[in-house]
Amino acid sequence: MIIEISIHDFYCQQHRLPLIDVRSPGEYEKGHLPGATNIALFSNEERAQVGTVYVQQSRDEAVELGYRFVTPKLDWFISESRKVAGNSPVAVHCWRGGMRSHAFAEHLHENGFDEVYVITGGYKAYRNYVLDFFAQPLQLRILGGFTGSGKTLLLKNLQQQGQQVVDLEGLAHHKGSAFGAIGESPQPTVEQFENNLFEAFRQLNLQQPIWLEDESHSIGKVKIPIPLFRQMRQQMVYFIQLSKEQRARHLVGQYTVCETPELAYAINGIAKRLGGQNVKLAHEYLAQQKFYEVALLALQYYDKAYLRGVQNRNPELVCMVPLPDMNHENNAKTLITLVEKYERNKTHTV
């Protein structure tokens, strides 16, 4: 049988159904449900042709052209769907839960799939569901600190010690600075970043606190959803403080695994803010492989920029946390103790 299922009910199932996205490869690449397999009803070119016929001629002629494109692939649809679902029930979706997903579902049902679910409203309904998700109140703990403080490693240690963590920079494939793309794989689309972010939050207990790194709205080319970003800005920031020298050494270890031209390109990316003399000096240091000196110069700019951002916050929502060194395991323990004490006192005060 073919069963309509809402995106909410799809996610509420105890065992999530294997999912097939029948949209074109281009639609899928722009954004898709994490875990969905793309078995495209039409190629990008075929979809464009069907759309042109629909607009310029008629719906019936567009449907007829669609059948001509689909017919040679019918056996392939079944074999590929078996790879996804085996003999289990399977869910299908297209853009709006219309003709593409229903035609695909009927074909599966007629060829041995006993239970085929069609997501009502398709991918569009899913996208609305994602954006609505971030509008709900969340319990957030925000980790701040100057560039080079090792915040990502500290978050990993917090997670290892039982804290809930969402790694924004990991999901963005970007470290959030002019140097942030170095050593990273290509960034997802803005839409896919939001989808992946939703999936990361969905795995967590939303009744308990979740740690995030303090970020600007943009991380490289992707953007934090506005409702989530607003909540981040309204929460207490636990701002770790480490010496510039320790942070410079950390940056050397982080970035000198890449090629020198990449570092030179990144330095040019902050040239206006760094100042002509410092840029020239940074390139000289780079040519001499004096990476520590390059890092110290870069931190002059980043510390000023980050400090301006902190000063624009409500001072009552910034908690400074001096740390002696970069022992991330010990620092995570220190931070957990401090935060839990602060939150207990806050509760008693209220």
Side-chain angles (χ1 to χ4, degrees):
M1 63 184 155
I2 297 173
I3 307 161
E4 291 270 349
I5 185 171
S6 70
I7 190 66
H8 174 77
D9 289 344
F10 173 78
Y11 276 112
C12 285
Q13 290 194 327
Q14 186 175 3
H15 301 291
R16 201 160 117 190
L17 293 163
L19 181 61
I20 295 172
D21 182 337
V22 303
R23 297 175 303 149
S24 66
E27 292 173 287
Y28 180 86
E29 288 164 10
K30 181 182 177 185
H32 57 268
L33 279 75
T37 300
N38 187 215
I39 304 177
L41 206 62
F42 302 129
S43 69
N44 294 335
E45 296 75 14
E46 289 168 347
R47 176 174 174 263
Q49 289 181 48
V50 170
T52 299
V53 170
Y54 185 93
V55 171
Q56 296 182 356
Q57 298 179 39
S58 70
R59 179 183 183 279
D60 289 343
E61 289 186 62
V63 170
E64 183 181 340
L65 178 60
Y67 278 124
R68 287 208 300 272
F69 286 145
V70 162
T71 299
K73 309 175 192 176
L74 292 176
D75 290 341
W76 180 78
F77 290 153
I78 298 301
S79 63
E80 290 300 300
S81 298
R82 285 291 178 203
K83 291 177 186 176
V84 173
N87 295 316
S88 302
V90 64
V92 175
H93 79 83
C94 59
W95 167 233
R96 286 187 297 189
M99 183 177 290
R100 283 188 288 177
S101 55
H102 282 90
F104 197 95
E106 287 169 11
H107 179 58
L108 294 186
H109 187 246
E110 290 167 1
N111 287 273
F113 285 79
D114 294 332
E115 284 185 38
V116 184
Y117 292 80
V118 176
I119 294 182
T120 307
Y123 181 71
K124 186 177 181 180
Y126 164 77
R127 286 291 299 157
N128 290 333
Y129 189 73
V130 167
L131 298 176
D132 287 344
F133 174 87
F134 289 116
Q136 69 180 305
L138 297 166
Q139 296 187 51
L140 305 177
R141 290 173 174 171
I142 308 302
L143 178 65
F146 288 126
T147 299
S149 297
K151 296 185 289 292
T152 298
L153 294 172
L154 182 50
L155 285 172
K156 288 180 180 177
N157 276 268
L158 286 168
Q159 191 170 38
Q160 289 167 5
Q161 295 182 37
Q163 300 289 297
Q164 296 194 122
V165 170
V166 172
D167 182 0
L168 293 171
E169 292 184 355
L171 291 170
H173 300 173
H174 199 282
K175 301 183 189 74
S177 69
F179 297 81
I182 293 174
E184 298 284 349
S185 54
Q187 286 197 270
T189 64
V190 172
E191 194 170 291
Q192 191 57 45
F193 172 71
E194 292 174 345
N195 295 350
N196 295 342
L197 186 58
F198 163 73
E199 188 67 17
F201 270 95
R202 200 183 63 80
Q203 309 296 326
L204 304 177
N205 180 355
L206 301 185
Q207 307 309 311
Q208 297 297 322
I210 299 166
W211 283 95
L212 299 174
E213 184 173 338
D214 189 26
E215 300 283 357
S216 59
H217 182 214
S218 298
I219 310 176
K221 294 180 181 179
V222 305
K223 298 181 185 298
I224 298 171
I226 286 290
L228 175 61
F229 182 68
R230 285 176 179 157
Q231 291 195 60
M232 291 171 64
R233 289 287 156 158
Q234 294 165 358
Q235 300 300 315
M236 175 66 70
V237 178
Y238 297 96
F239 191 98
I240 59 174
Q241 295 178 295
L242 290 144
S243 72
K244 185 178 290 186
E245 292 72 23
Q246 290 183 81
R247 292 185 287 117
R249 286 193 291 272
H250 175 73
L251 290 175
V252 170
Q254 208 174 19
Y255 288 112
T256 53
V257 294
C258 67
E259 299 294 327
T260 300
E262 290 182 273
L263 291 170
Y265 181 81
I267 289 168
N268 290 337
I270 57 171
K272 288 182 180 179
R273 299 175 181 87
L274 203 55
Q277 189 59 41
N278 282 334
V279 170
K280 181 182 177 183
L281 191 56
H283 281 298
E284 289 175 1
Y285 284 146
L286 194 58
Q288 298 166 30
Q289 295 194 330
K290 293 183 176 179
F291 301 116
Y292 176 75
E293 287 77 4
V294 174
L296 283 175
L297 279 174
L299 287 177
Q300 288 184 30
Y301 156 64
Y302 281 112
D303 284 4
K304 288 178 184 176
Y306 203 112
L307 186 59
R308 281 196 300 271
V310 172
Q311 289 172 340
N312 288 333
R313 289 179 180 269
N314 180 347
E316 294 183 1
L317 294 178
V318 180
C319 177
M320 294 297 183
V321 186
L323 296 172
D325 53 40
M326 285 202 179
N327 184 322
H328 302 296
E329 183 178 351
N330 287 344
N331 291 343
K333 292 175 182 176
T334 298
L335 200 53
I336 291 168
T337 301
L338 182 149
V339 171
E340 290 179 347
K341 180 179 179 180
Y342 168 80
E343 291 180 352
R344 279 197 304 271
N345 290 341
K346 183 180 177 183
T347 302
H348 291 153
T349 303
V350 173

